[in-house]
Amino acid sequence: MSHDKLNYLDVLREQGYRLTRQRQVILDAICQAGGHATMGELVHRTRLVEQGIDRSTVYRTINLFVKLGLVNAADDENGERTYEIVQEEHHHHLICKRCGAEIKIENQLVDEFYRDLKAAYEYQVQMDHLIVFGVCAHCKTPSDN
Amino acid sequence: MSHDKLNYLDVLREQGYRLTRQRQVILDAICQAGGHATMGELVHRTRLVEQGIDRSTVYRTINLFVKLGLVNAADDENGERTYEIVQEEHHHHLICKRCGAEIKIENQLVDEFYRDLKAAYEYQVQMDHLIVFGVCAHCKTPSDN
DNA sequence: CTTTGTGCAAACACTTTGCAAGTCC
DNA sequence: GGACTTGCAAAGTGTTTGCACAAAG
Protein backbone atom coordinates (compact mmCIF):
# COMPACT_ATOMS: atom_id res chain seq x y z
CA MET A 1 0.00 0.00 0.00
CA SER A 2 1.53 3.26 -1.07
CA HIS A 3 -0.23 5.57 1.33
CA ASP A 4 0.20 5.97 5.00
CA LYS A 5 -3.43 5.86 5.91
CA LEU A 6 -3.14 7.56 9.26
CA ASN A 7 -1.29 10.49 7.79
CA TYR A 8 -3.79 11.02 5.01
CA LEU A 9 -6.78 10.73 7.25
CA ASP A 10 -5.24 13.12 9.74
CA VAL A 11 -5.32 15.77 7.04
CA LEU A 12 -9.08 15.34 6.92
CA ARG A 13 -9.52 15.80 10.64
CA GLU A 14 -7.19 18.72 10.79
CA GLN A 15 -9.37 20.49 8.28
CA GLY A 16 -12.55 19.69 10.18
CA TYR A 17 -13.70 16.89 7.89
CA ARG A 18 -14.94 13.64 9.33
CA LEU A 19 -13.41 10.25 9.12
CA THR A 20 -15.98 7.93 7.61
CA ARG A 21 -15.79 4.33 6.50
CA GLN A 22 -16.63 5.40 2.97
CA ARG A 23 -13.73 7.80 2.80
CA GLN A 24 -11.33 5.13 3.97
CA VAL A 25 -12.58 2.64 1.42
CA ILE A 26 -12.35 5.19 -1.37
CA LEU A 27 -8.86 6.25 -0.37
CA ASP A 28 -7.77 2.62 -0.43
CA ALA A 29 -9.37 2.18 -3.83
CA ILE A 30 -7.44 5.09 -5.33
CA CYS A 31 -4.30 3.72 -3.81
CA GLN A 32 -4.79 0.16 -4.97
CA ALA A 33 -5.54 1.35 -8.47
CA GLY A 34 -1.90 2.40 -8.55
CA GLY A 35 -2.40 5.70 -10.32
CA HIS A 36 -4.20 6.97 -13.37
CA ALA A 37 -7.57 5.44 -12.55
CA THR A 38 -10.72 7.06 -13.89
CA MET A 39 -13.78 7.95 -11.83
CA GLY A 40 -15.60 4.99 -13.28
CA GLU A 41 -12.83 2.61 -12.31
CA LEU A 42 -12.73 4.01 -8.82
CA VAL A 43 -16.48 3.66 -8.43
CA HIS A 44 -16.11 0.05 -9.50
CA ARG A 45 -13.19 -0.65 -7.17
CA THR A 46 -15.02 0.95 -4.29
CA ARG A 47 -18.07 -1.17 -4.93
CA LEU A 48 -16.02 -4.34 -4.89
CA VAL A 49 -15.18 -3.63 -1.28
CA GLU A 50 -18.59 -2.36 -0.28
CA GLN A 51 -21.37 -2.30 -2.79
CA GLY A 52 -23.53 0.07 -0.78
CA ILE A 53 -21.35 3.10 -1.52
CA ASP A 54 -23.08 5.43 -3.93
CA ARG A 55 -21.62 6.77 -7.11
CA SER A 56 -22.23 10.32 -5.93
CA THR A 57 -20.33 9.66 -2.73
CA VAL A 58 -17.31 8.53 -4.71
CA TYR A 59 -17.49 11.64 -6.86
CA ARG A 60 -17.86 13.94 -3.89
CA THR A 61 -15.11 12.24 -1.96
CA ILE A 62 -12.55 12.19 -4.72
CA ASN A 63 -13.20 15.82 -5.51
CA LEU A 64 -12.73 16.57 -1.84
CA PHE A 65 -9.43 14.68 -1.79
CA VAL A 66 -8.29 16.65 -4.81
CA LYS A 67 -9.27 19.91 -3.13
CA LEU A 68 -7.32 18.92 -0.02
CA GLY A 69 -4.33 17.98 -2.12
CA LEU A 70 -4.40 14.31 -1.13
CA VAL A 71 -5.11 13.16 -4.65
CA ASN A 72 -3.82 14.40 -7.95
CA ALA A 73 -5.91 14.71 -11.10
CA ALA A 74 -4.26 14.33 -14.48
CA ASP A 75 -5.60 13.75 -17.96
CA ASP A 76 -4.65 10.74 -19.98
CA GLU A 77 -4.13 10.33 -23.67
CA ASN A 78 -7.83 10.10 -24.41
CA GLY A 79 -8.58 13.20 -22.43
CA GLU A 80 -10.01 11.20 -19.59
CA ARG A 81 -9.35 12.52 -16.14
CA THR A 82 -7.51 10.06 -13.95
CA TYR A 83 -6.63 10.16 -10.27
CA GLU A 84 -3.75 9.05 -8.13
CA ILE A 85 -2.48 9.43 -4.59
CA VAL A 86 -0.22 12.43 -4.29
CA GLN A 87 3.37 11.39 -3.83
CA GLU A 88 5.99 13.17 -1.81
CA GLU A 89 7.52 14.92 -4.75
CA HIS A 90 6.52 15.97 -8.23
CA HIS A 91 7.12 13.32 -10.80
CA HIS A 92 6.47 12.76 -14.45
CA HIS A 93 5.59 9.68 -16.45
CA LEU A 94 6.09 7.91 -19.69
CA ILE A 95 3.17 5.67 -20.48
CA CYS A 96 3.44 2.91 -23.05
CA LYS A 97 0.59 2.88 -25.53
CA ARG A 98 0.95 -0.87 -26.04
CA CYS A 99 1.47 -2.47 -22.65
CA GLY A 100 0.36 0.42 -20.45
CA ALA A 101 3.61 0.41 -18.50
CA GLU A 102 4.23 3.54 -16.51
CA ILE A 103 7.81 4.74 -16.28
CA LYS A 104 8.91 7.53 -13.98
CA ILE A 105 10.95 10.20 -15.70
CA GLU A 106 13.81 11.67 -13.72
CA ASN A 107 12.83 15.17 -12.75
CA GLN A 108 16.19 16.38 -13.88
CA LEU A 109 15.43 15.52 -17.48
CA VAL A 110 12.12 17.32 -17.47
CA ASP A 111 13.51 20.27 -15.58
CA GLU A 112 16.10 20.68 -18.27
CA PHE A 113 13.37 20.76 -20.91
CA TYR A 114 11.46 23.34 -18.92
CA ARG A 115 14.61 25.38 -18.49
CA ASP A 116 15.17 25.37 -22.24
CA LEU A 117 11.62 26.53 -22.83
CA LYS A 118 12.12 29.31 -20.36
CA ALA A 119 15.39 30.36 -21.97
CA ALA A 120 13.90 30.34 -25.44
CA TYR A 121 10.52 31.91 -24.77
CA GLU A 122 10.68 33.39 -21.27
CA TYR A 123 7.94 30.99 -20.54
CA GLN A 124 7.39 29.63 -17.04
CA VAL A 125 6.01 26.11 -17.25
CA GLN A 126 3.36 25.15 -14.73
CA MET A 127 2.79 21.45 -15.10
CA ASP A 128 3.39 19.36 -12.03
CA HIS A 129 2.64 16.17 -13.82
CA LEU A 130 3.72 15.77 -17.39
CA ILE A 131 2.56 12.60 -19.11
CA VAL A 132 4.28 11.56 -22.30
CA PHE A 133 2.85 8.79 -24.46
CA GLY A 134 4.85 6.48 -26.64
CA VAL A 135 6.22 2.97 -26.88
CA CYS A 136 8.48 1.48 -24.24
CA ALA A 137 11.69 -0.43 -24.85
CA HIS A 138 9.97 -3.73 -24.28
CA CYS A 139 7.19 -3.20 -26.81
CA LYS A 140 9.22 -1.39 -29.39
CA THR A 141 9.57 -2.87 -32.87
CA PRO A 142 12.06 -1.68 -35.49
CA SER A 143 9.39 0.30 -37.30
CA ASP A 144 8.86 2.54 -34.29
CA ASN A 145 12.22 4.21 -34.65
CA MET B 1 -8.03 32.11 -43.49
CA SER B 2 -5.52 29.42 -42.76
CA HIS B 3 -6.96 26.64 -44.85
CA ASP B 4 -7.06 26.20 -48.55
CA LYS B 5 -10.68 25.30 -48.82
CA LEU B 6 -10.53 23.62 -52.17
CA ASN B 7 -7.72 21.36 -51.09
CA TYR B 8 -9.47 20.28 -47.92
CA LEU B 9 -12.76 19.69 -49.62
CA ASP B 10 -11.06 17.72 -52.36
CA VAL B 11 -9.97 15.24 -49.73
CA LEU B 12 -13.62 14.65 -48.98
CA ARG B 13 -14.54 13.97 -52.57
CA GLU B 14 -11.55 11.75 -53.15
CA GLN B 15 -12.73 9.57 -50.33
CA GLY B 16 -16.26 9.42 -51.65
CA TYR B 17 -17.76 11.88 -49.17
CA ARG B 18 -20.08 14.61 -50.33
CA LEU B 19 -19.49 18.29 -50.35
CA THR B 20 -22.28 19.92 -48.38
CA ARG B 21 -22.86 23.47 -47.30
CA GLN B 22 -22.79 22.36 -43.67
CA ARG B 23 -19.38 20.81 -44.04
CA GLN B 24 -18.02 23.97 -45.56
CA VAL B 25 -19.44 26.13 -42.80
CA ILE B 26 -18.09 23.83 -40.13
CA LEU B 27 -14.66 23.71 -41.72
CA ASP B 28 -14.58 27.49 -41.77
CA ALA B 29 -15.66 27.60 -38.16
CA ILE B 30 -12.81 25.36 -37.04
CA CYS B 31 -10.44 27.46 -39.04
CA GLN B 32 -11.65 30.81 -37.76
CA ALA B 33 -11.49 29.57 -34.20
CA GLY B 34 -7.75 29.53 -34.72
CA GLY B 35 -7.05 26.27 -32.94
CA HIS B 36 -7.92 24.64 -29.68
CA ALA B 37 -11.66 25.22 -29.88
CA THR B 38 -14.00 22.87 -28.06
CA MET B 39 -16.99 21.12 -29.60
CA GLY B 40 -19.27 23.55 -27.83
CA GLU B 41 -17.44 26.54 -29.20
CA LEU B 42 -17.55 25.12 -32.68
CA VAL B 43 -21.25 24.43 -32.44
CA HIS B 44 -21.70 28.05 -31.42
CA ARG B 45 -19.50 29.44 -34.17
CA THR B 46 -21.27 27.31 -36.72
CA ARG B 47 -24.63 28.56 -35.56
CA LEU B 48 -23.53 32.17 -35.93
CA VAL B 49 -23.12 31.59 -39.64
CA GLU B 50 -26.18 29.44 -40.06
CA GLN B 51 -28.42 28.73 -37.15
CA GLY B 52 -30.16 25.80 -38.79
CA ILE B 53 -27.17 23.49 -38.45
CA ASP B 54 -27.79 20.88 -35.81
CA ARG B 55 -25.53 20.06 -32.93
CA SER B 56 -25.36 16.45 -34.02
CA THR B 57 -24.25 17.47 -37.49
CA VAL B 58 -21.36 19.41 -36.03
CA TYR B 59 -20.33 16.44 -33.91
CA ARG B 60 -20.58 14.02 -36.80
CA THR B 61 -18.75 16.33 -39.16
CA ILE B 62 -15.86 17.15 -36.87
CA ASN B 63 -15.37 13.51 -36.02
CA LEU B 64 -15.34 12.79 -39.73
CA PHE B 65 -12.72 15.48 -40.30
CA VAL B 66 -10.60 13.99 -37.56
CA LYS B 67 -10.94 10.54 -39.08
CA LEU B 68 -9.87 11.90 -42.45
CA GLY B 69 -6.93 13.67 -40.88
CA LEU B 70 -8.13 17.16 -41.81
CA VAL B 71 -8.54 18.19 -38.22
CA ASN B 72 -6.44 17.47 -35.19
CA ALA B 73 -7.82 16.68 -31.74
CA ALA B 74 -5.80 17.60 -28.66
CA ASP B 75 -6.65 17.87 -25.00
CA ASP B 76 -6.27 21.09 -23.11
CA GLU B 77 -5.34 21.76 -19.54
CA ASN B 78 -8.79 20.96 -18.23
CA GLY B 79 -8.97 17.72 -20.07
CA GLU B 80 -11.30 19.18 -22.63
CA ARG B 81 -10.87 18.01 -26.16
CA THR B 82 -10.13 20.80 -28.59
CA TYR B 83 -9.86 20.85 -32.36
CA GLU B 84 -7.78 22.63 -34.95
CA ILE B 85 -7.06 22.49 -38.64
CA VAL B 86 -4.14 20.21 -39.37
CA GLN B 87 -1.09 22.18 -40.38
CA GLU B 88 1.57 21.16 -42.84
CA GLU B 89 4.05 20.04 -40.25
CA HIS B 90 4.00 18.78 -36.70
CA HIS B 91 4.21 21.53 -34.17
CA HIS B 92 4.00 21.95 -30.45
CA HIS B 93 2.58 24.68 -28.29
CA LEU B 94 3.02 26.59 -25.12
CA ILE B 95 -0.28 27.94 -23.88
CA CYS B 96 -0.45 30.72 -21.33
CA LYS B 97 -2.81 30.01 -18.46
CA ARG B 98 -3.47 33.71 -17.96
CA CYS B 99 -3.91 35.31 -21.36
CA GLY B 100 -4.44 32.18 -23.43
CA ALA B 101 -1.62 33.07 -25.82
CA GLU B 102 -0.43 30.19 -27.91
CA ILE B 103 3.27 30.04 -28.66
CA LYS B 104 4.77 27.62 -31.14
CA ILE B 105 7.69 25.68 -29.77
CA GLU B 106 10.55 25.04 -32.17
CA ASN B 107 10.47 21.38 -33.06
CA GLN B 108 14.16 21.19 -32.43
CA LEU B 109 13.69 21.88 -28.74
CA VAL B 110 11.06 19.21 -28.32
CA ASP B 111 12.95 16.74 -30.45
CA GLU B 112 15.89 17.15 -28.13
CA PHE B 113 13.70 16.34 -25.15
CA TYR B 114 12.34 13.29 -26.91
CA ARG B 115 15.85 12.22 -27.82
CA ASP B 116 16.91 12.46 -24.20
CA LEU B 117 13.94 10.35 -23.13
CA LYS B 118 14.86 7.79 -25.71
CA ALA B 119 18.48 7.74 -24.60
CA ALA B 120 17.57 7.39 -20.96
CA TYR B 121 14.70 4.92 -21.20
CA GLU B 122 14.80 3.48 -24.71
CA TYR B 123 11.39 5.00 -25.01
CA GLN B 124 10.00 6.08 -28.34
CA VAL B 125 7.71 9.06 -27.87
CA GLN B 126 4.57 9.19 -29.99
CA MET B 127 3.03 12.58 -29.46
CA ASP B 128 2.59 14.69 -32.53
CA HIS B 129 1.23 17.59 -30.61
CA LEU B 130 2.65 18.35 -27.22
CA ILE B 131 0.91 21.09 -25.28
CA VAL B 132 2.71 22.65 -22.33
CA PHE B 133 0.86 24.93 -19.95
CA GLY B 134 2.41 27.77 -18.02
CA VAL B 135 2.74 31.53 -17.92
CA CYS B 136 4.07 33.55 -20.82
CA ALA B 137 6.66 36.31 -20.63
CA HIS B 138 4.01 38.96 -20.89
CA CYS B 139 1.88 37.73 -18.01
CA LYS B 140 4.66 36.62 -15.75
CA THR B 141 5.04 38.22 -12.33
CA PRO B 142 8.09 37.87 -10.06
CA SER B 143 6.36 35.22 -7.96
CA ASP B 144 6.11 32.88 -10.93
CA ASN B 145 9.82 32.27 -11.05
C1' DC C 1 -32.40 8.05 -59.29
C1' DT C 2 -29.37 6.26 -55.83
C1' DT C 3 -26.76 7.01 -51.98
C1' DT C 4 -25.18 9.92 -48.51
C1' DG C 5 -26.03 13.56 -45.19
C1' DT C 6 -29.08 16.29 -42.18
C1' DG C 7 -32.44 17.66 -38.64
C1' DC C 8 -35.10 16.14 -35.11
C1' DA C 9 -35.98 13.76 -31.04
C1' DA C 10 -34.86 10.33 -28.07
C1' DA C 11 -31.39 7.75 -25.81
C1' DC C 12 -26.93 7.54 -23.38
C1' DA C 13 -23.15 8.21 -20.35
C1' DC C 14 -21.14 10.92 -16.96
C1' DT C 15 -21.42 14.26 -13.22
C1' DT C 16 -23.78 17.30 -9.97
C1' DT C 17 -27.37 18.61 -6.63
C1' DG C 18 -31.42 18.85 -3.13
C1' DC C 19 -33.02 16.63 0.56
C1' DA C 20 -34.21 13.45 4.35
C1' DA C 21 -32.10 10.01 7.03
C1' DG C 22 -27.88 8.32 9.06
C1' DT C 23 -23.26 8.90 11.21
C1' DC C 24 -19.39 10.94 13.53
C1' DC C 25 -17.55 13.56 17.19
C1' DG D 1 -27.29 17.00 20.21
C1' DG D 2 -25.47 19.28 16.36
C1' DA D 3 -22.90 19.44 12.29
C1' DC D 4 -21.25 16.84 8.69
C1' DT D 5 -22.04 12.82 5.30
C1' DT D 6 -24.44 9.64 2.78
C1' DG D 7 -27.85 7.38 -0.29
C1' DC D 8 -31.34 8.15 -3.24
C1' DA D 9 -33.54 10.18 -6.94
C1' DA D 10 -33.77 13.76 -10.04
C1' DA D 11 -31.73 17.10 -12.89
C1' DG D 12 -27.81 18.73 -15.61
C1' DT D 13 -24.19 18.31 -19.32
C1' DG D 14 -22.16 16.67 -23.29
C1' DT D 15 -22.32 13.14 -26.94
C1' DT D 16 -24.38 9.53 -29.82
C1' DT D 17 -28.01 7.20 -32.50
C1' DG D 18 -32.37 5.79 -35.25
C1' DC D 19 -35.09 7.38 -38.62
C1' DA D 20 -37.66 9.94 -42.22
C1' DC D 21 -36.81 13.58 -45.26
C1' DA D 22 -33.59 16.48 -48.02
C1' DA D 23 -29.67 17.08 -50.89
C1' DA D 24 -25.52 15.76 -53.66
C1' DG D 25 -23.62 13.43 -57.48
Side-chain angles (χ1 to χ4, degrees), chain B residues 89-130:
Chain B
E89 58 166 339
H90 290 170
H91 61 294
H92 308 278
H93 284 139
L94 303 173
I95 296 182
C96 179
K97 283 183 170 183
R98 304 216 172 120
C99 69
E102 189 177 298
I103 304 160
K104 244 186 194 173
I105 311 176
E106 292 164 59
N107 281 329
Q108 179 205 340
L109 227 150
V110 176
D111 289 346
E112 195 175 303
F113 177 51
Y114 285 1
R115 212 176 310 124
D116 289 347
L117 287 178
K118 189 170 178 179
Y121 305 101
E122 291 197 53
Y123 184 89
Q124 182 63 43
V125 175
Q126 292 185 335
M127 290 186 94
D128 294 347
H129 189 183
L130 181 68

Coordinates of all heavy atoms in Angstrom, one line a residue, chain B residues 89-130:
Chain B
E89 N 3.1 20.8 -41.0 CA 4.0 20.0 -40.2 C 3.7 20.0 -38.8 O 2.9 20.8 -38.2 CB 5.4 20.6 -40.4 CG 5.5 22.1 -39.9 CD 6.9 22.6 -39.7 OE1 7.8 21.7 -39.6 OE2 7.2 23.8 -39.7
H90 N 4.2 18.9 -38.1 CA 4.0 18.8 -36.7 C 4.5 20.0 -36.0 O 5.4 20.7 -36.4 CB 4.9 17.6 -36.2 CG 4.4 16.3 -36.7 ND1 5.1 15.1 -36.5 CD2 3.2 15.9 -37.3 CE1 4.4 14.1 -37.0 NE2 3.3 14.6 -37.5
H91 N 3.8 20.4 -35.0 CA 4.2 21.5 -34.2 C 3.7 21.3 -32.7 O 2.8 20.5 -32.5 CB 3.7 22.8 -34.7 CG 2.2 22.9 -34.8 ND1 1.4 22.1 -35.6 CD2 1.3 23.7 -34.1 CE1 0.1 22.4 -35.4 NE2 0.1 23.3 -34.5
H92 N 4.3 22.1 -31.9 CA 4.0 21.9 -30.4 C 3.7 23.3 -29.9 O 4.2 24.3 -30.5 CB 5.2 21.3 -29.7 CG 5.6 20.0 -30.4 ND1 5.0 18.8 -30.1 CD2 6.6 19.8 -31.3 CE1 5.6 17.9 -30.9 NE2 6.6 18.4 -31.5
H93 N 3.0 23.4 -28.8 CA 2.6 24.7 -28.3 C 2.9 24.9 -26.8 O 2.8 23.9 -26.0 CB 1.1 24.9 -28.5 CG 0.7 25.2 -29.9 ND1 -0.5 24.6 -30.5 CD2 1.2 26.0 -30.8 CE1 -0.6 25.1 -31.7 NE2 0.4 25.9 -31.9
L94 N 3.1 26.1 -26.5 CA 3.0 26.6 -25.1 C 1.7 27.4 -25.1 O 1.4 28.2 -26.0 CB 4.2 27.6 -24.8 CG 5.6 27.0 -25.0 CD1 6.6 28.2 -24.8 CD2 5.9 26.0 -23.9
I95 N 0.9 27.2 -24.0 CA -0.3 27.9 -23.9 C -0.2 28.6 -22.5 O 0.0 28.0 -21.5 CB -1.5 27.1 -24.0 CG1 -1.6 26.5 -25.4 CG2 -2.8 27.9 -23.7 CD1 -2.8 25.6 -25.6
C96 N -0.5 29.9 -22.6 CA -0.4 30.7 -21.3 C -1.7 30.6 -20.6 O -2.8 30.8 -21.1 CB -0.2 32.2 -21.6 SG -0.2 33.2 -20.1
K97 N -1.6 30.2 -19.3 CA -2.8 30.0 -18.5 C -3.5 31.3 -18.2 O -4.7 31.3 -17.8 CB -2.4 29.4 -17.1 CG -2.1 27.9 -17.2 CD -1.8 27.4 -15.8 CE -1.7 25.9 -15.7 NZ -1.5 25.4 -14.3
R98 N -2.8 32.4 -18.3 CA -3.5 33.7 -18.0 C -4.1 34.4 -19.2 O -5.3 34.7 -19.2 CB -2.4 34.6 -17.3 CG -1.8 34.0 -16.1 CD -1.4 34.9 -15.0 NE -1.0 34.1 -13.9 CZ 0.2 34.1 -13.3 NH1 1.1 35.0 -13.7 NH2 0.5 33.3 -12.3
C99 N -3.3 34.6 -20.2 CA -3.9 35.3 -21.4 C -4.3 34.4 -22.5 O -5.0 34.8 -23.4 CB -2.9 36.3 -21.9 SG -1.5 35.6 -22.7
G100 N -4.0 33.1 -22.4 CA -4.4 32.2 -23.4 C -3.6 32.2 -24.7 O -3.8 31.5 -25.6
A101 N -2.5 33.0 -24.7 CA -1.6 33.1 -25.8 C -1.1 31.7 -26.2 O -0.9 30.9 -25.3 CB -0.5 34.0 -25.5
E102 N -0.9 31.5 -27.4 CA -0.4 30.2 -27.9 C 0.9 30.4 -28.6 O 1.0 31.1 -29.6 CB -1.5 29.7 -28.9 CG -1.3 28.3 -29.3 CD -2.5 27.9 -30.2 OE1 -3.6 28.0 -29.7 OE2 -2.2 27.7 -31.4
I103 N 1.9 29.8 -28.1 CA 3.3 30.0 -28.7 C 3.8 28.7 -29.3 O 3.8 27.7 -28.6 CB 4.2 30.5 -27.5 CG1 3.7 31.7 -26.8 CG2 5.6 30.7 -28.1 CD1 4.2 32.0 -25.5
K104 N 4.2 28.8 -30.5 CA 4.8 27.6 -31.1 C 6.1 27.3 -30.6 O 7.0 28.2 -30.4 CB 4.9 27.9 -32.6 CG 4.1 27.0 -33.5 CD 4.4 27.2 -35.0 CE 3.3 26.5 -35.8 NZ 3.4 26.8 -37.2
I105 N 6.4 26.1 -30.2 CA 7.7 25.7 -29.8 C 8.5 25.2 -31.0 O 7.9 24.4 -31.8 CB 7.6 24.6 -28.7 CG1 6.6 24.9 -27.6 CG2 9.0 24.3 -28.1 CD1 6.5 23.7 -26.6
E106 N 9.7 25.6 -31.1 CA 10.5 25.0 -32.2 C 10.6 23.5 -32.0 O 10.8 23.0 -30.9 CB 12.0 25.6 -32.1 CG 12.2 27.0 -32.3 CD 13.5 27.5 -31.8 OE1 14.5 26.9 -32.3 OE2 13.5 28.4 -30.9
N107 N 10.4 22.8 -33.1 CA 10.5 21.4 -33.1 C 11.8 20.9 -32.5 O 11.8 19.9 -31.8 CB 10.2 20.8 -34.4 CG 8.8 20.8 -34.8 OD1 7.9 20.7 -34.0 ND2 8.5 21.0 -36.1
Q108 N 12.8 21.6 -32.8 CA 14.2 21.2 -32.4 C 14.2 21.0 -30.9 O 14.8 20.0 -30.4 CB 15.1 22.3 -32.9 CG 16.6 22.1 -32.5 CD 17.3 23.4 -32.4 OE1 16.8 24.4 -32.9 NE2 18.4 23.4 -31.6
L109 N 13.6 21.9 -30.2 CA 13.7 21.9 -28.7 C 13.0 20.6 -28.2 O 13.5 20.0 -27.3 CB 13.0 23.1 -28.2 CG 13.8 23.9 -27.1 CD1 13.4 25.4 -27.2 CD2 13.4 23.3 -25.8
V110 N 11.8 20.4 -28.8 CA 11.1 19.2 -28.3 C 11.7 17.9 -28.7 O 11.8 17.0 -28.0 CB 9.6 19.2 -28.9 CG1 8.9 18.0 -28.5 CG2 8.9 20.5 -28.4
D111 N 12.3 17.9 -30.0 CA 13.0 16.7 -30.4 C 14.1 16.4 -29.5 O 14.4 15.2 -29.3 CB 13.5 17.0 -31.9 CG 12.4 17.0 -32.9 OD1 11.3 16.6 -32.5 OD2 12.6 17.5 -34.0
E112 N 14.8 17.4 -29.0 CA 15.9 17.1 -28.1 C 15.4 16.5 -26.9 O 16.0 15.5 -26.4 CB 16.5 18.5 -27.8 CG 17.9 18.4 -27.2 CD 18.5 19.8 -27.0 OE1 18.6 20.5 -28.0 OE2 18.8 20.2 -25.9
F113 N 14.3 16.9 -26.4 CA 13.7 16.3 -25.2 C 13.3 14.9 -25.4 O 13.7 14.0 -24.6 CB 12.5 17.1 -24.8 CG 11.7 16.6 -23.6 CD1 12.3 16.3 -22.4 CD2 10.3 16.4 -23.7 CE1 11.6 15.8 -21.3 CE2 9.6 15.9 -22.6 CZ 10.3 15.6 -21.4
Y114 N 12.7 14.6 -26.6 CA 12.3 13.3 -26.9 C 13.6 12.4 -27.0 O 13.6 11.2 -26.7 CB 11.6 13.3 -28.2 CG 10.1 13.8 -28.1 CD1 9.6 14.2 -26.9 CD2 9.3 13.8 -29.3 CE1 8.3 14.7 -26.9 CE2 8.0 14.3 -29.2 CZ 7.5 14.7 -28.0 OH 6.2 15.2 -28.0
R115 N 14.6 13.0 -27.6 CA 15.8 12.2 -27.8 C 16.5 11.8 -26.5 O 16.9 10.7 -26.3 CB 16.9 13.0 -28.6 CG 17.7 12.2 -29.5 CD 18.7 13.0 -30.4 NE 17.9 14.1 -31.1 CZ 18.2 15.4 -31.1 NH1 19.2 15.8 -30.3 NH2 17.5 16.2 -31.8
D116 N 16.4 12.8 -25.5 CA 16.9 12.5 -24.2 C 16.1 11.3 -23.5 O 16.7 10.5 -22.9 CB 16.8 13.7 -23.3 CG 17.8 14.8 -23.7 OD1 18.8 14.4 -24.5 OD2 17.7 15.9 -23.2
L117 N 14.8 11.4 -23.7 CA 13.9 10.4 -23.1 C 14.3 9.0 -23.7 O 14.3 8.0 -23.1 CB 12.5 10.7 -23.4 CG 11.9 11.8 -22.6 CD1 10.4 12.0 -23.0 CD2 11.9 11.5 -21.1
K118 N 14.5 9.0 -25.0 CA 14.9 7.8 -25.7 C 16.2 7.3 -25.2 O 16.4 6.1 -25.0 CB 14.9 8.0 -27.2 CG 15.0 6.7 -28.0 CD 14.9 7.0 -29.5 CE 15.0 5.8 -30.3 NZ 14.8 6.0 -31.7
A119 N 17.2 8.2 -25.1 CA 18.5 7.7 -24.6 C 18.4 7.2 -23.2 O 19.0 6.2 -22.9 CB 19.4 8.9 -24.6
A120 N 17.6 7.8 -22.4 CA 17.6 7.4 -21.0 C 16.7 6.1 -20.7 O 17.0 5.3 -19.9 CB 17.1 8.5 -20.1
Y121 N 15.6 6.0 -21.5 CA 14.7 4.9 -21.2 C 14.4 4.0 -22.4 O 13.5 3.2 -22.3 CB 13.4 5.5 -20.7 CG 13.5 6.4 -19.5 CD1 13.5 7.8 -19.7 CD2 13.7 5.9 -18.2 CE1 13.6 8.7 -18.6 CE2 13.8 6.8 -17.2 CZ 13.8 8.1 -17.3 OH 13.9 9.0 -16.3
E122 N 15.1 4.2 -23.5 CA 14.8 3.5 -24.7 C 13.3 3.6 -25.0 O 12.6 2.6 -25.3 CB 15.2 2.0 -24.6 CG 16.7 1.8 -24.5 CD 17.0 0.3 -24.8 OE1 16.5 -0.2 -25.8 OE2 17.6 -0.3 -24.0
Y123 N 12.8 4.8 -24.9 CA 11.4 5.0 -25.0 C 11.1 5.9 -26.2 O 11.7 7.0 -26.4 CB 10.9 5.7 -23.7 CG 9.4 5.9 -23.7 CD1 8.6 5.0 -23.1 CD2 8.9 7.1 -24.1 CE1 7.3 5.2 -23.0 CE2 7.5 7.3 -24.0 CZ 6.7 6.4 -23.5 OH 5.4 6.6 -23.4
Q124 N 10.3 5.4 -27.1 CA 10.0 6.1 -28.3 C 8.7 6.9 -28.2 O 7.6 6.4 -28.1 CB 9.8 5.1 -29.5 CG 9.6 5.8 -30.8 CD 10.8 6.6 -31.3 OE1 11.9 6.2 -31.2 NE2 10.5 7.8 -31.8
V125 N 8.9 8.2 -28.1 CA 7.7 9.1 -27.9 C 6.8 9.1 -29.1 O 7.3 9.1 -30.2 CB 8.1 10.5 -27.5 CG1 6.9 11.4 -27.4 CG2 8.9 10.5 -26.2
Q126 N 5.5 9.1 -28.9 CA 4.6 9.2 -30.0 C 3.5 10.3 -29.7 O 2.4 10.0 -29.4 CB 3.9 7.9 -30.2 CG 4.8 6.8 -30.7 CD 4.0 5.5 -31.1 OE1 2.9 5.3 -30.5 NE2 4.5 4.7 -32.0
M127 N 4.0 11.5 -29.6 CA 3.0 12.6 -29.5 C 3.3 13.6 -30.5 O 4.3 14.3 -30.5 CB 3.2 13.2 -28.1 CG 2.8 12.3 -26.9 SD 2.9 13.2 -25.3 CE 1.2 13.7 -25.2
D128 N 2.4 13.7 -31.4 CA 2.6 14.7 -32.5 C 2.4 16.1 -32.1 O 2.9 17.1 -32.6 CB 1.6 14.4 -33.7 CG 1.8 13.1 -34.3 OD1 2.9 12.5 -34.0 OD2 0.9 12.6 -35.0
H129 N 1.6 16.2 -31.0 CA 1.2 17.6 -30.6 C 1.3 17.7 -29.1 O 0.4 17.4 -28.4 CB -0.2 17.9 -31.1 CG -0.6 19.3 -30.9 ND1 -1.9 19.7 -31.2 CD2 0.0 20.3 -30.4 CE1 -1.9 21.0 -30.9 NE2 -0.8 21.4 -30.5
L130 N 2.5 18.2 -28.7 CA 2.7 18.3 -27.2 C 2.2 19.7 -26.8 O 2.5 20.7 -27.5 CB 4.2 18.2 -26.9 CG 4.6 18.4 -25.4 CD1 4.1 17.2 -24.6 CD2 6.1 18.5 -25.3

